[in-house]
Amino acid sequence: MILKEGSARGFRAYTAKHLDDLLRRAGLGDEERLRIRAVATVLPFRTNAYVVDQLIDWSAIPDDPIYRLVFPQADMLPEPDVTRLAGLLGADAPNAEIQAAAREVRMRLNPHPAGQLDLNVPRVGDDPMPGMQHKYPETLLFFPKQGQTCHAYCTYCFRWAQFIGEPDLKFASDDVENLVGYLKKHPRVTSVLFTGGDPMIMSAPVLRRYLEPLLELEQLESIRIGTKSLAYWPQRFVSDPDADDTLRLFASVVDAGKNLAFMAHFSHPREMESPVAEAAVAGILATGAVIRTQAPLIRTINDDPATWSSMWRRQLTMGMVPYYMFVERDTGPQDYFAVPLARAYEIFRDAYASVSGLCRTVRGPSMSATPGKVCVDGVAEIAGQKVFVLHLIQARDPELVGRPFFARYDPTAAWLTDLRPAFADRFPFESSELPELLGPSDPFEPATVPHRLSA
C-alpha cells in the first residue's frame, strides 16, 4: 500500500545561500558561522526540509551526528585555508577572487581518487565513453545526466567533485543509445550500476528512459541504483506525485527477469526511524527489488561498534541486506573523517560479533582503492611480525580476487597507500606495467588480465 501525504511534492532544498540562517538556528556565533561558510565555498552544501526538521536534533548541536553528516564544520579543512577564505568573505571580496581561492584548495583534495578519470573511463577505439566508468569486467557504472545532484549532500561524500560546477571533473551522460551500444560490445558486463549524484532525484519518466532499454539485454543479470534517497527523502517512494509510477517501474524491471538492487546509503540508525522511511522501504521491497545497505565508517558520526550493530539489526528487521562497511576514501576532507585501519577493523569486528548470522552478510572494512575493493580481514602475528591480513573482494585483475596478502602493521595507517608490504617487496597488485592498461579499447580482454596495478 502506498501512503499519500498530499498531491504536492513538498520538497524544499537548502543551499549555501541559506547556510548562514540555518547556522543561526544552531546558535553559532558570527566568527564560527563565517568559517563554516568559508568551508562551504570549497565543499558543496545542500540539504532539505526533511533532514533539517525531522532528522537533526538541534538541541544537540554541534555533536548531533546528522547535523555533522550534512553541515560543513569550521575545522574540516586546513586552518590556513579556512582563515584565508573567511578573510575574503568577511572583506566582501569579489566572487571571482573567492572562487579562485576555493578552487585552489579543491585541487589539493584529490577530487577523483582511485584512477576514476584515467583508469576507469572506458574507450571504444580512441574515444572515451562519457558518463561511464568500467573498473571491473562484470560491472559498468553509468552517471545519468539528470541524476547528478542529491536530495542532500553528505559532508564525507567521495563524489563531491560532481557538485562543484567543474565540467572537467564531472561524469554525466544522457546518451542511452551509447550505453546500450557499449554493453552489446562488452558481453561480459552482467550488471549496470546507476550512480551519481543520486539517480532517484530523477522523475519516473526520466528514470524509465534509462532503465527500459536495458531490459531487452539478455546479458544483464542485475541493475543497481546507488541512492541516499531512503535516508534523505523517503517521500520519493511514498508521497511524491510519481511515487506510484516509480514503484511500478521497479516492478517491471523485476518482471523482466532482472535483479533490481537498491544500494542504499544509511550512515546512522536515525535515518531509518521515521514512519515515512519505513513505508518507503516496504514499498520498494513489495516490487520484488532487494535493498542492500552500505556506508563508510566516519569519525564523529558512526565510529563505534554499537552504532553499526544497531544499524545492521534495524536494516535486517526492515527487510534490507547489510552489505558493506567502507573506509573513508582518500579524497575531500579525508583527514577530518578518517578512522585508522586498525581501529576500523576493531569497530567492524566488535559490531559483527554482536549481531546474528543473518546480519553477517556485511563485508568490511573495505577500501575502494585503485586496484579494487581491499578488505581488512584482521591483525595477526606471523613469523614474529605484526601484520594486517587483507584480500581483494573485487579487483581490476580478476586473478587477484580472494587471495590473501599482508601489510606491515601501522596503527596510524588510514588508507591503502599508507601501508607497506610484509614478507615481500611489493603488494600483488603493484607493477610498473600500469600505463599499458590505458591503451586497449577493452581493458578486460584476456591478454591484459595479468597486468598489475599500483595503488
Side-chain angles (χ1 to χ4, degrees):
M1 178 179 178
I2 305 303
L3 307 178
K4 290 293 180 186
E5 297 176 349
S7 58
R9 187 177 188 215
F11 180 82
R12 180 185 179 189
Y14 297 113
T15 62
K17 67 182 179 182
H18 306 105
L19 182 56
D20 200 55
D21 288 340
L22 291 169
L23 295 173
R24 290 178 190 275
R25 179 174 177 175
L28 302 182
D30 292 347
E31 179 63 23
E32 188 167 9
R33 295 200 317 275
L34 179 63
R35 294 180 70 81
I36 291 174
R37 287 172 51 216
V39 173
T41 66
V42 176
L43 300 171
F45 170 75
R46 175 181 168 94
T47 188
N48 66 66
Y50 172 75
V51 175
V52 167
D53 296 333
Q54 298 193 44
L55 297 187
I56 293 175
D57 180 357
W58 289 92
S59 68
I61 302 302
D63 297 324
D64 179 74
I66 307 300
Y67 170 78
R68 301 184 72 81
L69 190 58
V70 295
F71 278 80
Q73 305 300 311
D75 55 347
M76 193 173 283
L77 297 175
E79 193 279 335
D81 292 330
V82 177
T83 297
R84 177 190 177 195
L85 289 163
L88 292 172
L89 289 173
D92 291 324
N95 184 61
E97 184 178 356
I98 295 171
Q99 291 305 313
R103 188 180 190 280
E104 181 183 322
V105 177
R106 285 190 202 116
M107 294 304 104
R108 298 199 301 267
L109 297 178
N110 190 22
H112 274 303
Q116 290 187 92
L117 284 179
D118 300 323
L119 301 179
N120 294 1
V121 177
R123 295 175 179 271
V124 173
D126 294 327
D127 298 325
M129 296 291 99
M132 299 185 201
Q133 290 185 19
H134 195 181
K135 183 174 181 179
Y136 308 126
E138 301 84 6
T139 305
L140 179 74
L141 275 62
F142 189 78
F143 296 73
K145 183 177 180 180
Q146 299 89 339
Q148 298 316 305
T149 185
C150 297
H151 297 95
Y153 295 152
C154 298
T155 44
Y156 66 77
C157 183
F158 83 97
R159 288 256 168 82
W160 60 273
Q162 291 284 104
F163 315 131
I164 56 175
E166 294 269 1
D168 292 342
L169 297 179
K170 191 170 184 176
F171 287 97
S173 174
D174 61 357
D175 193 339
V176 181
E177 184 176 342
N178 198 36
L179 169 62
V180 171
Y182 183 83
L183 291 171
K184 288 180 177 179
K185 291 177 182 177
H186 296 79
R188 290 183 65 184
V189 177
T190 59
S191 181
V192 173
L193 168 60
F194 287 93
T195 185
D198 193 325
M200 293 316 307
I201 206 81
M202 298 187 292
S203 66
V206 176
L207 189 60
R208 184 181 299 276
R209 187 167 69 83
Y210 287 102
L211 293 182
E212 284 192 335
L214 303 186
L215 303 185
E216 303 300 320
L217 298 179
E218 292 187 7
Q219 73 194 74
L220 285 187
E221 300 167 359
S222 65
I223 295 172
R224 291 184 262 179
I225 298 175
T227 183
K228 184 77 178 177
S229 56
L230 283 168
Y232 284 166
W233 187 251
Q235 292 90 331
R236 178 69 189 84
F237 311 98
V238 178
S239 58
D240 273 12
D242 65 342
D244 289 353
D245 289 342
T246 299
L247 295 182
R248 281 191 287 268
L249 174 60
F250 297 163
S252 71
V253 174
V254 176
D255 290 343
K258 309 299 182 187
N259 180 287
L260 178 61
F262 271 72
M263 318 311 291
H265 294 244
F266 289 109
S267 307
H268 193 273
R270 192 184 302 165
E271 296 170 322
M272 293 172 279
E273 292 176 356
S274 72
V276 66
E278 292 181 348
V281 169
I284 292 170
L285 293 177
T287 69
V290 64
I291 303 174
R292 298 182 184 272
T293 62
Q294 56 192 29
L297 178 62
I298 321 159
R299 189 175 67 85
T300 77
I301 293 173
N302 62 19
D303 55 336
D304 67 276
T307 298
W308 283 89
S309 60
S310 172
M311 192 153 54
W312 293 336
R313 289 197 303 269
R314 179 62 177 155
Q315 289 161 2
L316 178 67
T317 301
M318 295 173 72
M320 297 183 280
V321 181
Y323 190 51
Y324 266 119
M325 173 199 278
F326 288 117
V327 174
E328 177 64 15
R329 296 185 73 160
D330 55 335
T331 181
Q334 183 202 20
D335 291 343
Y336 185 84
F337 287 121
V339 176
L341 297 178
R343 177 58 183 155
Y345 169 69
E346 291 175 353
I347 291 170
F348 179 87
R349 178 198 62 199
D350 292 349
Y352 192 83
S354 67
V355 297
S356 74
L358 291 175
C359 284
R360 293 181 184 175
T361 51
V362 70
R363 298 181 286 185
S366 171
M367 293 174 275
S368 290
T370 304
K373 288 184 172 67
V374 179
C375 187
V376 181
D377 292 324
V379 176
E381 186 169 318
I382 301 175
Q385 184 174 343
K386 193 173 184 180
V387 297
F388 286 112
V389 183
L390 310 106
H391 83 281
L392 280 154
I393 297 173
Q394 180 62 286
R396 293 182 191 273
D397 179 350
E399 289 186 350
L400 297 178
V401 172
R403 295 186 180 183
F405 62 98
F406 306 94
R408 299 173 190 173
Y409 179 80
D410 180 348
T412 66
W415 192 248
L416 183 61
T417 51
D418 298 332
L419 299 177
R420 297 295 174 261
F423 315 120
D425 60 358
R426 64 177 60 185
F427 289 122
F429 47 78
E430 289 182 321
S431 172
S432 60
E433 298 176 35
L434 176 61
E436 296 181 22
L437 258 183
L438 304 182
S441 60
D442 184 350
F444 305 116
E445 289 296 332
T448 66
V449 165
H451 287 299
R452 301 293 187 260
L453 303 170
S454 94

